[in-house]
Amino acid sequence: MLRGDLVTTATADPTTTTVARDFTDFRTVVSQSFVPLHVTSEHRDHFRGRIRSCGADDVQLTEVTASAHVVERTPELIARADRHYYKLSLILSGTGLLIQDDREAMLRPGDVALYDTHRPYSLAFEEDFRTLVVMFPQRLIDLPRDLVGQLTAVPMSGKRGMGNVVVPFLAQLGSNLDQLGGPAGVRLAHTAVDLLATLFASELDLARATAGPHHELMRRVLAYIDSNLSSTDLGPAQIAAEHYISTRHLHGLFHEQGTTVSGWIRTRRLEHCRRELLDPVHTSRPVAAIAAKWGFVDAPHFSRVFKTEFGCSPSELRRGLTVSDRLLPPSA
């Protein structure tokens, strides 16, 4: 497709590549590729940009190569959106300055940083650069939003600790974006998000000395829940007893994170069910069997809560997979 100086290609390769030689067109495609953004540049007359993207199951990886510019997510743009995403940038060349939640992160090659599309932020590139952006719904991360919010605009190095494991994987996936459009695309997308959750948890653990007094307890509670999601007995009383606290204290911990114990358990179970329904490996497995595996013993109840959470029934989700073999991320 050719429009002005904007060229978009989509062939047998499942990736989409857009080359813009005009700043106005680049500004448009940036908002179309991510969430609506305000984009400015002092180099409009000689601007160059390329965006290469592929995704699976609401997880989108995008490589951006461009001239210097600034992107801003403003309160006005946020007010028009009803979907909550996280974005993570891995700088491949050049530098970037990310600002969100009164924090600043100067990012250099090999660094990653997280930002929340439902809160204002800005990202400034003062020279030609290349970055890999991972965008995914916040519900895919098995950590409370308030905890993850402590990591926005915090630089994380890809050269040490857990970053030395996660960042090379992301870089390799970025170099092989077409794999997200293949049979293993959904599993690769989920692996990427799970690794990011592990990186975030590691960073939060490193900061636990300065965190609130409930941080370590909450970490153990969440780990216990995830390890016992298949148990139909899992509930506040069992969790509280296992951790030698009162149910009132347990409910207070989750209230601090803006959620409830039962709500958290239900959300985690539904997400595991959704993943298995999308996974071609489980195509022949009955929906009811997948639901029961994750603690839903009442099939009609499972279908109702699943549709409420995801906007479609389990069977409808599975039929969508059969038709296209993968689900592309919706525009935000």
Side-chain angles (χ1 to χ4, degrees), residues 88-92 98 104-114 151 153-171 195-196 198-200 202-204 206:
L88 179 126
S89 283
L90 164 60
I91 301 296
L92 300 171
L98 172 64
E104 296 185 4
M106 175 56 73
L107 305 176
R108 297 177 174 80
D111 290 342
V112 296
L114 176 74
L151 295 177
V154 173
M156 293 172 271
S157 173
K159 299 177 181 177
R160 62 176 180 271
M162 189 56 64
N164 200 30
V165 177
V166 177
V167 169
F169 174 84
L170 293 178
L195 283 172
L196 288 177
T198 302
L199 173 62
F200 301 156
S202 175
E203 292 292 322
L204 288 168
L206 289 174

Side-chain angles (χ1 to χ4, degrees), residues 26-56:
F26 179 81
R27 181 174 56 192
T28 299
V29 77
V30 162
S31 289
Q32 292 173 342
S33 299
F34 301 110
V35 292
L37 296 164
H38 179 61
V39 188
T40 57
S41 177
E42 297 180 357
H43 308 279
R44 300 169 68 116
D45 294 340
H46 304 285
F47 194 90
R48 297 290 183 270
R50 186 186 79 153
I51 295 179
R52 185 167 178 262
S53 182
C54 194

Side-chain angles (χ1 to χ4, degrees), residues 19 29 55 59 76 90 104 151 163 185 241 245 280 286 297:
V19 179
V29 77
V59 180
E76 293 77 17
L90 164 60
E104 296 185 4
L151 295 177
I245 59 176
V297 294

Side-chain angles (χ1 to χ4, degrees), residues 160-315:
R160 62 176 180 271
M162 189 56 64
N164 200 30
V165 177
V166 177
V167 169
F169 174 84
L170 293 178
Q172 283 296 316
L173 189 54
S175 298
N176 297 273
L177 282 181
D178 59 299
Q179 294 299 313
L180 282 174
V186 171
R187 280 180 172 262
L188 281 172
H190 291 164
T191 297
V193 173
D194 288 345
L195 283 172
L196 288 177
T198 302
L199 173 62
F200 301 156
S202 175
E203 292 292 322
L204 288 168
D205 283 344
L206 289 174
R208 66 181 179 271
T210 58
H214 296 155
H215 175 85
E216 177 60 20
L217 175 59
M218 190 64 174
R219 185 192 66 78
R220 289 190 284 110
V221 166
L222 294 178
Y224 179 82
I225 290 174
D226 251 25
S227 298
N228 292 275
L229 285 174
S230 60
S231 171
T232 55
D233 295 328
L234 184 65
Q238 177 183 332
I239 297 167
E242 183 68 23
H243 293 85
Y244 306 101
I245 59 176
S246 67
T247 54
R248 181 178 180 180
H249 187 185
L250 179 69
H251 287 303
L253 290 174
F254 279 82
H255 180 73
E256 289 177 2
Q257 302 300 329
T259 186
T260 64
V261 181
S262 59
W264 182 261
I265 293 172
R266 182 177 60 253
T267 297
R268 297 305 305 146
R269 283 174 168 166
L270 286 171
E271 186 55 44
H272 279 286
C273 290
R274 183 176 187 273
R275 289 190 178 199
E276 292 200 6
L277 288 167
L278 285 169
D279 193 335
V281 171
H282 300 290
T283 300
S284 61
R285 192 170 193 185
V287 171
I290 291 175
K293 174 185 175 181
W294 294 106
F296 291 104
V297 294
D298 184 333
H301 170 71
F302 167 68
S303 293
R304 287 194 299 271
V305 296
F306 189 96
K307 188 165 187 176
T308 298
E309 181 75 12
F310 300 118
C312 65
S313 70
S315 297

Side-chain angles (χ1 to χ4, degrees), residues 28-156:
T28 299
V29 77
V30 162
S31 289
Q32 292 173 342
S33 299
F34 301 110
V35 292
L37 296 164
H38 179 61
V39 188
T40 57
S41 177
E42 297 180 357
H43 308 279
R44 300 169 68 116
D45 294 340
H46 304 285
F47 194 90
R48 297 290 183 270
R50 186 186 79 153
I51 295 179
R52 185 167 178 262
S53 182
C54 194
D57 186 24
D58 279 8
V59 180
Q60 180 175 311
L61 270 73
T62 304
E63 183 187 73
V64 181
T65 305
S67 305
H69 67 272
V70 176
V71 297
E72 295 175 276
R73 182 75 165 151
T74 65
E76 293 77 17
L77 293 174
I78 292 170
R80 304 175 195 169
D82 59 358
R83 306 195 68 180
H84 295 214
Y85 286 86
Y86 288 127
K87 291 168 72 177
L88 179 126
S89 283
L90 164 60
I91 301 296
L92 300 171
S93 66
T95 60
L97 176 64
L98 172 64
I99 302 175
Q100 188 172 54
D101 298 329
D102 297 321
R103 291 188 289 266
E104 296 185 4
M106 175 56 73
L107 305 176
R108 297 177 174 80
D111 290 342
V112 296
L114 176 74
Y115 39 117
D116 184 338
T117 67
H118 216 65
R119 296 203 299 277
Y121 69 81
S122 66
L123 187 53
F125 302 98
E126 295 186 350
E127 57 186 357
D128 292 355
F129 72 96
R130 185 165 65 98
T131 187
L132 179 69
V133 181
V134 187
M135 187 171 80
F136 53 93
Q138 294 183 4
R139 60 174 170 75
L140 295 185
I141 290 289
D142 58 352
L143 294 167
R145 291 180 185 175
D146 282 3
L147 286 180
V148 179
Q150 298 175 22
L151 295 177
T152 54
V154 173
M156 293 172 271

